[in-house]
Amino acid sequence: MALLPILRFPDPRLKKIAAPVGEIDDSVRRLIADMAETMYEAPGIGLAATQVDVHKQIVVIDVSEGRNELLALINPRIDDLQGQQEGEEGCLSVPGIFEKVERAERVSVHFQDGDGQHQTLVAEGLLAVCIQHELDHLNGKVFVDHLSQLKQTRIRNKLAKQARVTA
Ligand code: NI
């Protein structure tokens, strides 16, 4: 397994649209293992392949307290959204920034697992937020895109300043 470098907003590669995964083979399973290791190490509760510059429809998620309930979703599709919730979100690609985002309270998502089996998961609360956040990444969207233009500009300026300090 290997740690993968995570793209930082506003890297234009975060805007790429991920392609569906065809055959789910060992290379896909290896990528999932590397993404999981990268997410746990960061640490984060979700990571999309887009964030490690692989533009395939794969996300890993673990919102459990024990950090031992890994979910890997391949070719995920949300087929139902219900209700509404607002929570503070952050992102491994937007370090140090946390903002409130409105999301659906409950989602039903269809996906394939690491064995290629088709599954449906109904999630609510934090897991539902995480699924919506990660699927946005596969569509080239980061949570910052849900905020007002004014907030987006502030975040860009703040991150640019951070980059100058650490460079
Ligand atoms: Ni994110």
Side-chain angles (χ1 to χ4, degrees), residues 20 25 45 64 69 71 74 76 80 93 97-98 101-102 122 151 157 159:
D25 56 14
I45 59 172
S64 72
E69 290 173 35
L71 267 172
I74 304 170
D80 193 35
S93 293
I97 306 287
F98 298 89
V101 180
E102 204 172 281
V122 177
K151 276 191 177 165
N157 290 341
L159 291 173

Side-chain angles (χ1 to χ4, degrees), residues 104-161:
E105 164 61 25
R106 203 171 310 109
V107 302
S108 170
V109 61
H110 179 88
F111 63 97
Q112 283 172 276
D113 64 20
D115 298 318
Q117 299 298 313
H118 289 263
Q119 304 222 25
T120 298
L121 172 69
V122 177
E124 52 186 30
L126 180 60
L127 180 55
V129 168
C130 196
I131 289 169
Q132 292 169 81
H133 177 119
E134 300 313 327
L135 267 62
D136 268 359
H137 278 301
L138 300 181
N139 290 314
K141 221 171 162 188
V142 294
F143 79 99
V144 172
D145 295 323
H146 290 278
L147 307 174
S148 69
Q149 281 304 323
L150 180 65
K151 276 191 177 165
Q152 290 193 33
T153 304
R154 276 196 204 137
I155 289 168
R156 279 170 194 274
N157 290 341
K158 192 171 169 187
L159 291 173
K161 216 175 278 174

Side-chain angles (χ1 to χ4, degrees), residues 36 38-47 61-63 67 92:
T38 304
M39 172 185 74
Y40 286 126
E41 166 73 21
I45 59 172
L47 186 71
I61 292 174
D62 190 343
V63 297
R67 313 291 281 148
L92 294 176

